[in-house]
Amino acid sequence: MKGRRKFLGDMALTAAAASLARGVMAGPAQSAVASGGRVVSTWDFGVGANQAAWRKLSAGGSALDAVEQGARWAESELCNPTVGRCGNPDRDGVLTLDASIMDGDGRCGAVAALEDIDHPVSVARRVMEDTPHVMLVGEGAQQFAMAQGFHKQRLLTPEAEQAWQEWRERAEYQPRINVERNLKPGNKENHDTLGMLAIDGNGRLAGACTTSGMAWKMHGRVGDSPLIGAGLYVDNEVGAATASGVGEEMIRNAASFLVVELMRQGMTPMQACRAAIARVVRKRPEASKSLQVCFLAMSRDGEVGAFALHPGFVYAVCDAGRQDALHASDAVYDGAAT
Ligand code: ASP
C-alpha cells in the first residue's frame, strides 16, 4: 500500500496534469455523450489507453473501435508485467494472454491462453466478427489468428524471463494486492488487467479487457477477463462493467454481469459495484481479506462508478473535458489489510 501511494505521488508529479480524486463522479453524465463520449479504464495505465481510445471517439468513431484501439495501446505501447507483450509468464515460463471485447448490442468475442500473438484484443474482435463462436482458446486461437494475418512471434521479454527464473527459486503462487509497479527487471507486480468501457457520441457502449492474467498461474489457467459476464459485460439498454483483481472471484460471482444487472434494477454504477464487492465478501469472507477485487462501471448515460475490496484501485476517465484524470476508488477494507 505504501508503495502504491508513493507511486501515485510520483505519478502526480511526472504524469502531466493527472488528477486523483476520491469517489468523484466524472462530470455531468448527459453532456459526456453530447460532447463526443467518454472512456474509462482500470488502473493508472488506463490514462494512456484512454487517450488512444479517445483519438477514435473524438474523431466520431464508435465505442467499439475506441476500446479496441485503447486495448491495443496497452498490449503493445505499454510495457507492463501484467498486460500484453511485457506480461509475466505462467509457472512453466509460458506467456499466455487473455482478452475479450463486447459491443452494447450483445455481440462479443474472446480469446484465452493465447501464445505468441501480440494483439489478443484484435483477435477477439475477429472471433466476434468472423466466426460463429464467441471464444477460442490456446492453439486453436493461435491458428485462427495466423489465418487472419496476425504474425506469430516470441513475446516473452528477457525481463519477464528473468523474473520467472527468480520466482522459481521459491515457486510460491501468491497474488499481491496493489504493489508498486516496477518497470525494472525482477518486477514485483503480479496481476492486473486493462478493463476499458466506452460510450460514443451516439450513446452506444462497448468494452474490452486484455491481460496476461495472474503471474505464475498454472499453465492453462484462464481468468475472468476473457469470460463474458465475469471480467466484462456491456448492454446498451443499461450500461457496462469490467473488473480487475483475482479473476477466480469474478468468475464465482459472474461479477460484471451482476454489476450490470444491479444497474438494471436501478442502482447507480457506484452502488452496483459496491453491492457486487459485498457479494464477493459474503461468499468468501476470509479469502477476501488477502486478495484484491475491483469493479468499474458506466451507465448508459455515461455516469461512472467504481469500488474495490482493498484501497489502491485507481481508474482513469477521459472525455472532451479532460483526457488524463485518475480517480481513486473507495474500498471495503482499510489500509491495514494491505
Ligand atoms: N483479473 C485478472 C485475472 O485473474 C488479473 C487482474 O486483473 O488482476 O487474470
Side-chain angles (χ1 to χ4, degrees):
M1 193 49 214
K2 208 168 163 197
R4 166 66 54 149
R5 280 211 193 97
K6 180 186 171 301
F7 171 75
L8 290 172
D10 292 350
M11 204 180 150
L13 293 175
T14 55
S19 71
L20 189 63
R22 178 163 288 273
V24 173
M25 203 208 75
Q30 287 296 351
S31 69
V33 177
S35 60
R38 174 171 285 158
V39 57
V40 298
S41 292
T42 53
W43 301 112
D44 40 38
F45 50 64
V47 171
N50 282 355
Q51 288 169 351
W54 183 248
R55 286 195 276 280
K56 287 273 175 201
L57 282 185
S58 59
S62 69
L64 189 66
D65 286 344
V67 295
E68 182 186 6
Q69 205 55 37
R72 284 177 67 90
W73 178 90
E75 289 169 349
S76 58
E77 302 290 312
L78 172 77
C79 193
N80 180 277
T82 65
V83 178
R85 66 184 177 86
C86 291
N88 278 328
D90 63 23
R91 70 180 189 184
D92 296 344
V94 182
L95 174 63
T96 62
L97 302 175
D98 295 342
S100 61
I101 191 162
M102 186 165 191
D103 191 89
D105 65 7
R107 292 179 306 141
C108 49
V111 288
L114 179 64
E115 291 177 32
D116 296 332
I117 302 286
D118 64 352
H119 281 302
V121 73
S122 294
V123 184
R125 185 164 178 179
R126 298 282 177 90
V127 172
M128 174 176 104
E129 291 178 340
D130 296 342
T131 81
H133 306 305
V134 163
M135 185 178 206
L136 294 177
V137 306
E139 220 182 297
Q142 190 190 64
Q143 281 166 4
F144 170 72
M146 287 163 65
Q148 290 279 321
F150 293 83
H151 297 293
K152 192 173 163 186
Q153 53 183 298
R154 182 178 158 80
L155 294 181
L156 189 68
T157 62
E159 290 79 10
E161 187 159 8
Q162 187 188 328
W164 173 65
Q165 293 290 2
E166 285 167 15
W167 173 80
R168 286 173 80 197
E169 285 164 24
R170 297 188 63 187
E172 265 174 17
Y173 178 76
Q174 181 101 66
R176 292 203 184 88
I177 299 174
N178 309 331
V179 294
E180 182 175 358
R181 279 184 216 300
N182 183 345
L183 302 179
K184 295 192 295 287
N187 54 63
K188 299 288 190 291
E189 185 69 283
N190 69 11
H191 66 93
D192 274 345
T193 293
L194 177 82
M196 172 176 270
L197 309 172
I199 188 161
D200 62 30
N202 292 314
R204 291 172 307 197
L205 289 158
C209 273
T210 187
T211 188
S212 49
M214 308 298 291
W216 335 129
K217 61 195 174 186
M218 290 174 69
H219 187 61
R221 180 263 187 190
V222 170
D224 59 309
S225 311
L227 301 182
I228 299 299
L232 179 69
Y233 198 72
V234 186
D235 185 338
N236 278 338
E237 285 182 3
V238 180
T242 188
S244 185
V246 177
E248 282 72 9
E249 305 308 312
M250 283 68 117
I251 297 170
R252 284 188 178 99
N253 291 284
S256 290
F257 180 71
L258 174 63
V259 171
V260 171
E261 291 309 298
L262 291 170
M263 290 196 284
R264 195 189 302 277
Q265 290 165 24
M267 288 190 187
T268 64
M270 164 74 145
Q271 288 167 341
C273 290
R274 192 181 192 121
I277 287 286
R279 185 80 62 91
V280 171
V281 175
R282 244 188 353 264
K283 202 154 276 182
R284 301 217 310 145
E286 270 316 300
S288 71
K289 289 180 188 159
S290 57
L291 54 83
Q292 179 64 301
V293 168
C294 321
F295 297 125
L296 176 62
M298 182 157 68
S299 71
R300 57 178 278 197
D301 55 11
E303 183 182 343
V304 181
F307 210 76
L309 271 179
H310 296 273
F313 175 47
V314 293
Y315 60 98
V317 180
C318 169
D319 56 28
R322 181 151 193 186
Q323 283 89 57
D324 60 359
L326 200 56
H327 298 257
S329 158
D330 284 323
V332 171
Y333 297 109
D334 65 22
T338 64

